[in-house]
Amino acid sequence: MEKRYAIGVDYGTESGRALLVDIATGEEVATHVTPYPHGVIDETLPGTGRKLEHDWALQHPEDYLEVLRRSIPEVLRASGVSPERVIGIGIDFTACTMMPLDAAGTPLCLVGNWKDNPHSWVKLWKHHAAQEEANLINAKAGERGELFLARYGGRLSSEWMLPKALQILNEAPDIYAEADCFMEAADWVIMQMTGSFVRSSCTAGYKGTWHKRDGFPSDAFLASLDERFKDFATEKLRGPILPLGAKAGELNEQMAALTGLEPGTAVAVGNVDAHAMVPAVGVVTPGKLVLAMGTSTCHLLLSDKEVHAEGIAGVVEDGIVAGYYGYEAGQSAVGDIFAWYVNESVPAYVQQHAKEEGIGVHEWLERRAAQQKPGESGLLALDWWNGNRSVLMDSDLTGVMVGMTLQTKPEEIYRALLEATAFGTRKIIEAFQDGGVQVDELYACGGLPQRNRLLMQIYADVTGREIRIADSTQTAALGAAMFGAVAAGVEAGGYDSVADAAKNMARVREESFKPMAKNVETYNALYEEYVKLHDYFGRGGNDIMKRLKALKSG
Ligand SMILES: Nc1ncnc2c1ncn2[C@@H]1O[C@H](COP(=O)(O)OP(=O)(O)O)[C@@H](O)[C@H]1O
Ligand SMILES: O=C(CO)[C@@H](O)[C@@H](O)COP(=O)(O)O
């Protein structure tokens, strides 16, 4: 039988990439990355020069179509695969990355003069300027005993849909009123590809506070936040919500012309980037925690029971793999913290040495840091450079580094930052375990595990567990392609379920990272100190981070 292929398109923070995959084997035949022409918009609004406030992060919706326009033809060209052999497409996206649309489905930032107001643009997942709204939602939901709150670890993140939309209502009521609806970028791109106005159970569940049986938070609750917000769910989040694995529709003529694919190609319901990675590392059963490590880290776990505990950013039935409760937790910055250090803080001599040795600054620092023993630098950091998404759920928390002296070296700071993110992950694992959700095995995927071996050894040592690594550098796109194959269905040469797709298409590497006993011991001691710092700054012992932030905002 002739080979069949699927395409997965992974929409990350800085770029989007397409991956063309052999459906029978999971072989990754061709890949292409399109950096977003406008990148992350966090300083000035395009076309206006208007300065954005602290904690804002926007994107340009046309960049998403640019990824389809450039990367899909390129994977077809590079692979030589003819379009009719591509039977399904799936996409995955960062989330909650949301936008207001007009009645024709056009983002308001592309309509008339709305572009001059930053609230008309796409709010990227890491837009952190809705913390006040998140605080209000959490306080009101707590007071009213709203049941949904427990499914989100007792606190909604400021990154999620409700706080972001409420911020628009508060600061730009005209845009809120003008918006016919709000949509996750994942669902919007699917609508552009197929013409189908459908939402994904994954984006709706984790980010939109939707529940399979209870639906969205009630009108009464929404009205308790602001009378004008009463109809938010029924009007502005309206539309059918389809489960993962379902077909959203078929590629329309316009998108077929744009991408070079055949009209009528099956298109899967949109997925979230981290969630798509789970079946792509072969995880389709409970107890296996997947660390999706990139700009941020998401921690994903399947279970056959629903429990509510601090540290769980969301639990959604069928939210990752049908038939299980899917749990998500996360750290809002991981790779982004290392990027901050490399871009903003290393001395010129480090860059010079790296250049002379013909390696990148990350690699140079990693090599040096690998020569140190745990604890040797006397440094300890908190991993809150972009707030805390689990277990404290507070984007007003900031970074800390303790123990610096005149002898402190750049590689020591780099290592302390790697370690801080590992401690943050251990805290999340303990939160799952303490909450009664079993974690038996660890799997790592995303951009970081294959780029930084020291990082993975530190994670094994800090958690005291073996870590298996995905065999793909494009795990999210592979997962998206798997859902594309499921949308196409077994009759077209695809699969009936993502579990079936995973049997043939998912892979992990032979090599794993195993904890080293001596390191584990030192890290146990350091972790105790981390927990003390964490609780001191994060649980009200000293609110200095919030006071400083308030001063900064003026
Ligand atoms: N060698 C490295 N060591 C540690 N971090 C790295 C290294 N190379 C790149 N990074 C970080 O990895 C992150 C990108 O991860 P990736 O998974 O590719 O992207 P995304 O999360 O947007 O999908 C960036 O924050 C970057 O700074
Ligand atoms: O929040 C989620 C998933 O729930 C992510 O989309 C978000 O952390 C961004 O992920 P990346 O770090 O860009 O891979």
Side-chain angles (χ1 to χ4, degrees):
M1 188 180 136
E2 283 182 338
K3 287 192 175 198
R4 294 283 179 266
Y5 299 88
I7 290 179
V9 184
D10 166 40
Y11 285 95
T13 300
E14 309 275 349
S15 60
R17 65 215 81 180
L19 177 71
L20 187 134
V21 188
D22 181 333
I23 286 179
T25 61
E27 183 201 346
E28 298 176 12
V29 185
T31 180
H32 183 264
V33 180
T34 300
Y36 299 138
H38 298 85
V40 175
I41 302 167
D42 54 8
E43 288 183 4
T44 44
L45 206 56
T48 65
R50 181 172 165 172
K51 279 229 160 291
L52 295 174
E53 288 171 30
H54 292 301
D55 294 329
W56 276 67
L58 307 177
Q59 279 187 330
H60 197 312
E62 276 174 358
D63 290 356
Y64 306 145
L65 303 182
E66 186 64 11
V67 172
L68 300 177
R69 197 182 66 76
R70 284 173 56 186
S71 289
I72 294 187
E74 191 48 37
V75 292
L76 289 174
R77 192 201 57 75
S79 64
V81 165
S82 65
E84 60 277 11
R85 300 270 186 82
V86 178
I87 60 167
I89 317 170
I91 70 164
D92 67 84
F93 232 104
T94 65
C96 168
T97 295
M98 54 80 85
M99 63 186 105
L101 304 178
D102 73 4
T106 308
L108 286 187
C109 62
L110 305 180
V111 179
N113 291 331
W114 292 115
K115 69 172 184 319
D116 299 338
N117 189 322
H119 281 294
S120 69
W121 290 73
V122 177
K123 284 191 169 58
L124 181 60
W125 66 273
K126 65 176 177 175
H127 173 89
H128 276 167
Q131 186 61 50
E132 257 177 49
E133 285 76 9
N135 292 343
L136 175 72
I137 292 167
N138 292 329
K140 280 272 181 221
E143 265 165 37
R144 293 170 53 95
E146 293 287 339
L147 295 180
F148 73 82
L149 200 58
R151 292 198 299 275
Y152 300 87
R155 286 179 66 77
L156 288 200
S157 164
S158 72
E159 288 178 18
W160 293 179
M161 177 67 91
L162 256 55
K164 280 175 168 150
L166 190 56
Q167 189 199 4
I168 298 177
L169 175 64
N170 284 339
E171 297 175 15
D174 50 345
I175 289 193
Y176 182 86
E178 182 70 15
D180 179 60
C181 70
F182 289 86
M183 228 171 183
E184 283 276 353
D187 299 324
W188 182 75
V189 170
I190 292 296
M191 185 163 77
Q192 303 312 296
M193 290 168 83
T194 62
S196 313
F197 180 81
V198 295
R199 295 175 190 271
S200 148
S201 62
C202 181
T203 53
Y206 288 100
K207 313 300 172 178
T209 332
W210 172 82
H211 184 263
K212 197 170 158 184
R213 280 174 294 278
D214 301 348
F216 289 106
S218 66
D219 290 0
F221 169 68
L222 296 171
S224 78
L225 302 170
D226 188 314
E227 193 50 40
R228 295 167 301 168
F229 206 49
K230 177 167 176 263
D231 301 326
F232 173 64
T234 42
E235 283 185 3
K236 312 243 181 201
L237 293 182
R238 69 177 189 280
I241 296 173
L242 298 191
L244 285 181
K247 181 168 144 182
E250 295 178 350
L251 199 66
N252 60 28
E253 295 282 346
Q254 195 192 345
M255 281 291 151
L258 185 97
T259 58
L261 289 168
E262 291 286 299
T265 307
V267 180
V269 164
N271 207 337
V272 176
D273 50 3
H275 301 60
M277 295 193 207
V278 176
V281 290
V283 170
V284 289
T285 50
K288 298 166 180 167
L289 184 72
V290 177
L291 314 181
M293 303 175 69
T295 307
S296 63
T297 290
C298 294
H299 307 72
L300 292 314
L301 183 66
L302 302 176
S303 171
D304 35 30
K305 59 180 182 186
E306 177 171 334
V307 301
H308 299 151
E310 186 189 47
I312 292 167
V315 47
V316 176
E317 195 175 342
D318 303 333
I320 302 174
V321 169
Y324 293 109
Y325 290 94
Y327 288 82
E328 175 181 4
Q331 290 164 277
S332 296
V334 172
D336 241 6
I337 303 183
F338 317 143
W340 165 80
Y341 184 60
V342 164
N343 298 335
E344 305 293 340
S345 283
V346 289
Y349 79 83
V350 170
Q351 292 173 6
Q352 187 58 32
H353 284 314
K355 201 167 159 203
E356 282 161 14
E357 292 172 35
I359 56 177
V361 175
H362 281 289
E363 288 74 23
W364 192 91
L365 290 166
E366 182 195 348
R367 280 186 198 175
R368 291 289 177 114
Q371 290 160 18
Q372 297 160 24
K373 289 201 278 298
E376 191 183 311
S377 68
L379 297 179
L380 179 64
L382 285 176
D383 50 318
W384 300 343
W385 260 248
N386 195 15
N388 177 298
R389 200 199 282 168
S390 298
V391 300
L392 301 166
M393 268 301 177
D394 190 341
S395 52
D396 281 343
L397 297 173
T398 50
V400 172
M401 173 85 62
V402 178
M404 285 198 278
T405 70
L406 295 177
Q407 278 74 44
T408 300
K409 293 282 179 214
E411 59 269 28
E412 294 176 331
I413 298 178
Y414 189 73
R415 183 171 177 128
L417 294 173
L418 303 184
E419 290 170 346
T421 67
F423 293 139
T425 281
R426 175 162 167 182
K427 189 93 186 94
I428 288 169
I429 294 173
E430 291 185 357
F432 276 125
Q433 301 264 61
D434 295 347
V437 198
Q438 194 59 29
V439 178
D440 302 319
E441 295 174 28
L442 299 188
Y443 290 74
C445 53
L448 290 187
Q450 297 191 21
R451 287 197 190 119
N452 194 319
R453 295 182 64 82
L454 173 64
L455 179 72
M456 296 325 297
Q457 187 57 51
I458 289 174
Y459 272 59
D461 293 339
V462 165
T463 60
R465 290 161 181 265
E466 179 179 2
I467 306 183
R468 293 186 177 80
I469 308 292
D471 196 25
S472 170
T473 47
Q474 311 284 355
T475 325
L478 174 61
M482 287 164 65
F483 280 99
V486 175
V490 77
E491 277 164 23
Y495 294 101
D496 271 344
S497 70
V498 77
D500 285 348
K503 276 185 212 136
N504 295 324
M505 296 175 76
R507 269 191 309 269
V508 284
R509 288 190 163 186
E510 294 282 315
E511 182 202 19
S512 63
F513 288 84
K514 298 190 181 65
M516 296 197 252
K518 197 146 181 30
N519 293 351
V520 172
E521 208 180 294
T522 315
Y523 278 135
N524 280 341
L526 275 171
Y527 179 68
E528 269 183 39
E529 300 299 336
Y530 171 90
V531 172
K532 283 183 207 152
L533 267 190
H534 173 282
D535 290 352
Y536 178 64
F537 286 112
R539 297 197 195 270
N542 188 338
D543 279 338
I544 182 167
M545 293 169 183
K546 291 171 195 269
R547 293 195 297 276
L548 292 176
K549 228 174 177 180
L551 276 177
K552 184 162 112 179
S553 309

